[in-house]
Amino acid sequence: LTYVTNQSGLTSAIEGAGTDINVKVDEALNSVSLPSTNADKTVTLAFSSETENITVTQADGATVAGNVNIIANTANTVDNRELSITLPNSTVEVSGNSTYANITASTADNTLILGKGVTANKVTVIKGNIKVNKDAYLDNIDFISEGQTVVVIDNGGTISDNVRGNSRVTVMSAAE
């Protein structure tokens, strides 16, 4: 586990790592830009429970092709945080006991994964699809363009009737 307190420390840790890197992000650092990674690298970012709104993007000119895991457990004082993800070539999993008022996501077509303990009151999909794992909850989806559709993969999570009844959403079982 590498602890970082600033953007340059994060960049150095990721660039210097082998296949996988686990990074604990200082609570003062709520917006991070990832350097280029190849498809076989997994970056795990553990944010402080005190961090309210989180932004994870790829750095200018970078292509983040590997998997990215975002872990953010909510302290009693933080609820309904916002999460913005701009990683259009990555599969991103969000986990930890957190409630998000909104997750805005641009991910690879493979998906934004809502992991165990995550409650997403709304996901605004810019690019990609959504997978809802066991012990995760998805309440609503917002679209950025007319005619946009989203596939939601049910992997044992809870998907509200708001999502299931939306004509622009296709809900599939993970077994399909």
Side-chain angles (χ1 to χ4, degrees):
L1 181 68
T2 303
Y3 180 74
V4 298
T5 58
N6 56 42
Q7 180 61 51
S8 64
L10 176 68
T11 299
S12 295
I14 292 170
E15 289 177 341
T19 305
D20 298 325
I21 178 74
N22 295 309
V23 180
K24 181 170 179 12
V25 181
D26 185 81
E27 66 186 61
L29 190 60
N30 67 336
S31 181
V32 299
S33 296
L34 305 182
S36 291
T37 63
N38 55 25
D40 64 351
K41 184 176 262 187
T42 298
V43 176
T44 300
L45 302 170
F47 285 88
S48 166
S49 61
E50 300 299 322
T51 305
E52 291 191 24
N53 298 323
I54 300 168
T55 300
V56 180
T57 63
Q58 56 191 18
D60 289 341
T63 300
V64 179
N67 294 325
V68 176
N69 301 316
I70 300 170
I71 303 169
N73 290 306
T74 303
N76 293 334
T77 58
V78 179
D79 201 10
N80 286 319
R81 63 173 56 148
E82 301 272 335
L83 173 60
S84 177
I85 302 164
T86 306
L87 298 169
N89 301 302
S90 297
T91 295
V92 178
E93 180 167 359
V94 179
S95 60
N97 294 317
S98 283
T99 297
Y100 295 93
N102 186 41
I103 298 174
T104 301
S106 176
T107 64
D109 292 339
N110 293 342
T111 267
L112 166 69
I113 301 167
L114 301 180
K116 182 177 181 176
V118 172
T119 295
N121 291 327
K122 179 173 67 173
V123 174
T124 301
V125 179
I126 297 170
K127 179 180 174 287
N129 296 298
I130 304 168
K131 182 177 185 180
V132 183
N133 283 346
K134 183 177 180 187
D135 297 325
Y137 176 72
L138 173 61
D139 188 44
N140 217 334
I141 296 177
D142 197 13
F143 302 90
I144 61 157
S145 63
E146 289 298 320
Q148 180 185 9
T149 60
V150 172
V151 174
V152 175
I153 300 165
D154 182 351
N155 195 31
T158 303
I159 301 169
S160 76
D161 290 340
N162 296 328
V163 174
R164 291 186 182 278
N166 190 318
S167 63
R168 295 167 65 184
V169 175
T170 300
V171 177
M172 299 173 51
S173 167
E176 292 181 56

